[in-house]
């Protein structure tokens, strides 16, 4: 079992998730048999509908990144998914990783206040 790291996971369903991820490895084969996702969020990108004057001048139209809790009605923070539902796992760009960290920290503060 390796340490948790923040990854983007593309599922066969077409969903893109961001989470703290850990591979669950079978001792005998040393092969990953599942992934543990913590605080998984669905990541969606949308074209910006509002542009600043600077963005218009530079032609930097960009995108908005939206993160929504993946299984919004579940109280579980850790979810195990089998390897066969995963298409690929990649490293998120730094700004998206930071957005996830900020959201996770804000969410854990809300949890503590309950």
């Amino acid at each position: 079992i390796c340490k948790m790291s923040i990854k983007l996971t593309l599922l066969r369903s077409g969903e893109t998730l961001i989470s703290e991820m850990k591979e669950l490895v079978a001792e005998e084969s040393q092969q990953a048999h599942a992934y543990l996702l913590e605080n998984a969020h669905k990541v969606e990108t949308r074209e910006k509908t509002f542009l600043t004057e600077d963005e218009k001048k530079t032609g930097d139209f960009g995108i908005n990144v939206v993160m929504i809790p993946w299984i919004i009605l579940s109280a579980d923070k850790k979810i195990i998914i089998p390897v066969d539902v995963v298409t690929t796992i990649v490293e998120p760009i730094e700004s998206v990783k930071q957005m996830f960290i900020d959201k996770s920290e804000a969410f854990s503060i809300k949890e503590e206040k309950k």
Side-chain angles (χ1 to χ4, degrees):
I1 296 178
C2 62
K3 66 179 180 58
M4 287 233 168
S5 56
I6 297 171
K7 296 290 184 186
L8 283 174
T9 307
L10 181 63
L11 303 181
R12 288 190 188 273
S13 66
E15 292 174 299
T16 300
L17 304 180
I18 189 167
S19 67
E20 288 192 59
M21 172 186 264
K22 188 189 295 184
E23 276 187 332
L24 302 178
V25 177
E27 282 186 39
E28 325 77 67
S29 65
Q30 292 301 301
Q31 295 283 319
H33 64 88
Y35 298 104
L36 176 67
L37 307 183
E38 189 168 338
N39 201 15
H41 279 66
K42 185 175 176 180
V43 179
E44 294 180 357
T45 55
R46 300 182 181 140
E47 285 185 29
K48 282 189 176 180
T49 52
F50 174 79
L51 299 174
T52 65
E53 287 301 315
D54 285 344
E55 288 169 331
K56 286 178 188 170
K57 284 179 193 161
T58 61
D60 179 18
F61 298 117
I63 54 171
N64 285 329
V65 176
V66 180
M67 293 182 189
I68 307 152
W70 181 36
I71 304 176
I72 201 158
L73 299 178
S74 174
D76 294 336
K77 298 289 171 248
K78 295 181 179 181
I79 302 167
I80 295 173
I81 61 170
V83 293
D84 63 353
V85 302
V86 175
T87 303
T88 193
I89 300 164
V90 294
E91 192 69 29
I93 59 174
E94 199 54 44
S95 59
V96 170
K97 184 185 275 192
Q98 192 58 52
M99 185 178 170
F100 175 75
I101 291 167
D102 294 345
K103 183 166 183 170
S104 296
E105 286 171 358
F107 192 75
S108 64
I109 291 166
K110 281 183 200 165
E111 287 282 302
E112 288 168 21
K113 286 183 179 177
K114 282 186 178 177

